[in-house]
Amino acid sequence: MDTAVRVDDRGVTIDRETIAIAVVDVVLLTGLIMFGQSHHGSLGGPLATLERVAPFLIGWFAMAVLAGLYTRASTRSLVETVRITALTWIAAANIGLALRASPYFEGGFHWTFSFVITGFGLLALVSWRFGYVAMRRS
């Protein structure tokens, strides 16, 4: 009897490569927000930085898990990587902005900040992940 077996590529496997990708994501987002803080002269201590970064990291990891961004399937093709990363960041940025505007996090935001963080985050995350997948495939 022949049976077809379907293997689900969306299974989460935590390996060194996945952890390294997540670390680069965190470093990029943290660096981006710290750069913005220093540019506006509001770079505070570690707790102030954590309070400004946390909403976006919460949004990023929540959406990344839902989108399957840390699975092998998300790095299979360049087009898929760009698509999943872009959609994940747009959703995550909105979550981060909503959290930052809430009374639970300090900082608030001006409406122009939403365009800046979404645009630069999109540029940073999509560029690095595109480059990573392109180098990995060659």
Side-chain angles (χ1 to χ4, degrees), residues 2 25-26 38 40 44-45 47 53 63 77-78 83 88 91-92 94 99 108 111 117 119 121 123:
D2 283 336
D25 290 342
V26 168
S38 69
H40 291 289
L47 289 177
V53 171
M63 290 297 97
S77 77
L78 291 172
R83 185 184 71 77
T88 301
N94 282 299
L99 287 173
W111 66 272
I117 192 67
L123 180 66

Side-chain angles (χ1 to χ4, degrees), residues 42-87:
S42 64
L43 188 61
L47 289 177
T49 299
L50 180 62
E51 190 168 22
R52 294 208 173 118
V53 171
F56 296 100
L57 293 180
I58 290 168
W60 174 253
F61 283 113
M63 290 297 97
V65 167
L66 288 174
L69 197 59
Y70 293 112
T71 62
R72 295 275 181 221
S74 69
T75 58
R76 192 173 304 143
S77 77
L78 291 172
V79 173
E80 192 68 11
T81 297
V82 169
R83 185 184 71 77
I84 292 173
T85 304
L87 291 173

Side-chain angles (χ1 to χ4, degrees), residues 59-138:
W60 174 253
F61 283 113
M63 290 297 97
V65 167
L66 288 174
L69 197 59
Y70 293 112
T71 62
R72 295 275 181 221
S74 69
T75 58
R76 192 173 304 143
S77 77
L78 291 172
V79 173
E80 192 68 11
T81 297
V82 169
R83 185 184 71 77
I84 292 173
T85 304
L87 291 173
T88 301
W89 175 246
I90 290 168
N94 282 299
I95 290 171
L97 289 165
L99 287 173
R100 191 159 167 186
S102 76
Y104 303 109
F105 291 94
E106 185 155 334
F109 70 95
H110 191 269
W111 66 272
T112 56
F113 176 64
S114 61
F115 294 115
V116 171
I117 192 67
T118 302
F120 282 112
L122 196 61
L123 180 66
L125 289 166
V126 169
S127 296
W128 110 257
R129 282 177 166 266
F130 178 86
Y132 172 76
V133 172
M135 285 178 35
R136 189 170 165 234
R137 292 180 57 145
S138 56

